[in-house]
């Protein structure tokens, strides 16, 4: 017998839709019966959300029934206005995540599921991080980590897995940031994750090109010709059991995943290595905004998150879709069970 997964779920930016999608997701007893959940944040925020929404939104969990770890803050919760993020909401969401990480590293939780934060309000509160991913890696001192998006098609059951080689940097800095060393690090992580978390031992992985038509032999950009083509050959030698394809022209790269998502999985790859944020996330969010899960790989604990942001524009309307949050909770449960099984068998 394995113990039930115990998840720490952070409220994210308390002025965003995090509290709403959490209350909606936790109303689903098929999910909550599978795990223990401790919310990390403020009960008052959840109570306000419940009071504002219970007459207009579909079923919501009742805050009094939830297990909540109250986070102490210098900033006052009453400075938080739903729909308007600010320094107080930035400070609160940072403190929630810090607490979740500290407690998880201390062995209290198996996994962290994070609701969305606004990077701009973290920065306003004095926390200059590109996102939650970097704080999650920094606290345990991890330098080798990656941002992977996972989504299962409701049409075909095929799973789209997209790892981003670079994440929250300006587009103009992408070519400089991309190096053979960085791609090797991300590829190694991806291969390890495919085996550990998905049981795929000899994966088929596609690597995107950077330039239109992968540079058209240097005419439309030179990174592919200068080093990417050679890098792919070297990695294929390093991992002879792997099918590594690329650099594939970044527009047509997504045709096969699209077919696999909507029709059948013929010839689709097990995972895609996208070179920058929007190259990977436009297809993910186009196909799967309602169900993709953002997971940080390479950490000493499990971390999942919905794929959407704080959506300040719809706070208080009761219309936030909780499907991606439910998928993030479900995936954290599955990963935890798998790892508990591995350590106990
Ligand atoms: N994991 C995270 O913490 C995370 C992820 C993405 C964006 N963000 C942050 O969120 C903030 C807003 O970013 P954005 O506007 O680019 O993206 P967003 O995902 O917040 O919103 C994009 C659009 O999708 C809608 N939307 C988002 N989630 C929805 C849901 N669950 N149900 C229904 N509609 C939904 C919004 O109303 C908006 O129209 C930024 O500060 C960004 O950094 C955080
Ligand atoms: N890039 C992700 C997305 O667009 O969904 C998100 O911003 C990730 O942020 P975290 O590092 O905070 O998980």
């Amino acid at each position: 017998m394995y113990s039930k997964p115990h998840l720490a779920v952070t409220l994210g930016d308390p002025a965003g839709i995090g509290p709403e999608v959490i209350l909606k997701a936790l109303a689903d007893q098929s999910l909550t019966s599978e795990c223990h959940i401790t919310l990390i944040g403020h009960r008052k925020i959840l109570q306000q959300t419940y009071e504002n929404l219970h007459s207009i939104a579909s079923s919501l969990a009742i805050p009094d029934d939830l297990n909540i770890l109250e986070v102490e803050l210098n900033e006052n919760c009453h400075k938080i206005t739903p729909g308007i993020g600010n320094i107080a909401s930035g400070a609160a969401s940072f403190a929630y995540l810090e607490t979740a990480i500290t407690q998880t590293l201390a062995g209290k939780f198996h996994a962290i599921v994070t609701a969305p934060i606004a990077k701009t309000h973290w920065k306003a509160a004095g926390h200059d991080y590109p996102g939650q991913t970097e704080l999650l890696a920094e606290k345990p001192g991890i330098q080798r980590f990656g941002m992977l998006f996972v989504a299962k098609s409701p049409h075909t059951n095929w799973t789209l897995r997209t790892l981003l080689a670079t994440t929250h940097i300006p587009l103009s800095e992408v070519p400089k940031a991309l190096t053979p060393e960085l791609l090797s690090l991300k590829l190694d992580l991806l291969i390890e994750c495919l085996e550990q978390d998905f049981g795929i031992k000899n994966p088929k992985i596609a690597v995107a090109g950077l330039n239109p038509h992968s540079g058209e032999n240097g005419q439309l950009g030179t990174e592919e010709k200068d080093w990417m083509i050679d890098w792919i050959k070297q990695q294929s030698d390093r991992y002879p059991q792997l099918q590594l394809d690329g650099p594939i022209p970044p527009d047509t790269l997504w045709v096969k995943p699209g077919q696999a998502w909507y029709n059948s999985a013929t010839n689709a790859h097990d995972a895609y290595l996208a070179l920058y944020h929007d190259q990977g996330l436009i297809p993910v969010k186009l196909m799967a905004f309602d169900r993709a899960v953002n997971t940080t790989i390479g950490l000493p604990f499990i971390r999942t998150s919905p794929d959407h942001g704080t959506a300040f524009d719809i706070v208080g309307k009761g219309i936030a879709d909780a499907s991606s949050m439910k998928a993030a909770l479900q995936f954290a449960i599955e990963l935890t069970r798998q790892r508990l099984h591995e350590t106990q068998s």
Side-chain angles (χ1 to χ4, degrees):
M1 282 294 290
Y2 310 114
S3 51
K4 266 192 188 180
H6 192 170
L7 315 182
V9 180
T10 60
L11 296 198
D13 191 305
I17 59 168
E20 176 177 345
V21 294
I22 287 172
L23 290 184
K24 285 180 172 171
L26 297 191
D28 181 347
Q29 286 183 357
S30 66
L31 253 181
T32 51
S33 61
E34 290 185 59
C35 60
H36 300 295
I37 288 181
T38 299
L39 298 171
I40 316 274
H42 290 107
R43 187 176 294 279
K44 189 177 157 196
I45 297 288
L46 289 164
Q47 277 165 341
Q48 273 170 358
T49 306
Y50 183 83
E51 277 154 29
N52 291 343
L53 296 182
H54 76 97
S55 59
I56 53 171
S58 54
S59 49
L60 300 173
I62 298 166
D64 282 348
D65 295 345
L66 302 174
N67 181 22
I68 302 173
L69 193 160
E70 285 286 319
V71 175
E72 281 182 31
L73 271 182
N74 296 332
E75 258 74 22
N76 273 327
C77 277
H78 66 252
K79 289 189 188 152
I80 292 166
T81 313
I84 303 171
N86 57 17
I87 293 179
S89 72
S93 55
F94 188 87
Y96 301 161
L97 185 58
E98 258 194 326
T99 305
I101 298 169
T102 308
Q103 300 257 342
T104 304
L105 287 172
K108 185 153 183 213
F109 306 111
H110 295 111
I112 301 176
V113 180
T114 61
I117 60 96
K119 297 144 190 54
T120 175
H121 302 314
W122 268 22
K123 187 162 183 187
H127 308 296
D128 195 1
Y129 288 83
Q132 304 192 79
T133 301
E134 289 73 15
L135 183 66
L136 285 150
E138 184 189 272
K139 291 282 170 195
I142 298 292
Q143 264 127 36
R144 198 173 160 273
F145 58 94
M147 191 185 287
L148 177 74
F149 283 74
V150 180
K152 191 169 192 180
S153 164
H155 313 287
T156 62
N157 276 340
W158 178 75
T159 302
L160 172 66
R161 302 177 191 90
T162 305
L163 182 69
L164 305 181
T166 62
T167 54
H168 291 133
I169 57 172
L171 192 53
S172 60
E173 290 175 16
V174 167
K176 210 171 30 180
L178 288 170
T179 60
E181 293 72 29
L182 179 78
L183 287 196
S184 298
L185 182 155
K186 299 293 177 181
L187 181 67
D188 291 351
L189 268 174
L190 184 56
I191 292 168
E192 287 161 25
C193 163
L194 288 171
E195 176 158 4
Q196 182 186 20
D197 293 334
F198 299 97
I200 304 173
K201 282 197 164 62
N202 299 311
K204 290 199 297 177
I205 296 177
V207 182
L210 178 64
N211 296 294
H213 311 299
S214 284
E216 194 91 26
N217 202 25
Q219 190 182 340
L220 303 177
T222 61
E223 285 81 1
E224 292 84 353
K225 201 177 169 194
D226 286 349
W227 62 271
M228 280 191 70
I229 293 169
D230 282 347
W231 177 80
I232 299 256
K233 283 188 193 132
Q234 286 159 12
Q235 301 313 306
S236 299
D237 291 344
R238 197 156 74 93
Y239 289 112
Q241 77 286 12
L242 192 74
Q243 182 185 320
L244 188 64
D245 297 319
I248 300 180
D251 54 350
T252 48
L253 171 61
W254 305 109
V255 173
K256 280 181 189 163
Q259 289 165 343
W261 186 264
Y262 293 107
N263 299 314
S264 82
T266 333
N267 287 330
H269 290 77
D270 295 308
Y272 295 82
L273 180 54
L275 301 187
Y276 57 92
H277 187 275
D278 293 352
Q279 183 186 67
L281 293 193
I282 289 172
V284 166
K285 294 192 181 184
L286 190 60
M287 288 187 252
F289 193 48
D290 62 340
R291 66 192 61 231
V293 176
N294 169 6
T295 180
T296 312
I297 61 175
L299 297 177
F301 49 80
I302 292 158
R303 182 269 178 143
T304 67
S305 176
D307 67 348
H308 58 76
T310 48
F312 290 125
D313 55 323
I314 59 166
V315 170
K317 297 183 179 170
I319 58 173
D321 182 352
S323 313
S324 181
M325 174 53 87
K326 283 189 189 180
L329 291 163
Q330 190 62 54
F331 193 39
I333 293 169
E334 282 166 26
L335 289 176
T336 304
R337 280 207 193 113
Q338 216 163 292
R339 294 201 193 167
L340 287 175
H341 179 77
E342 274 161 21
T343 52
Q344 291 174 18
S345 59

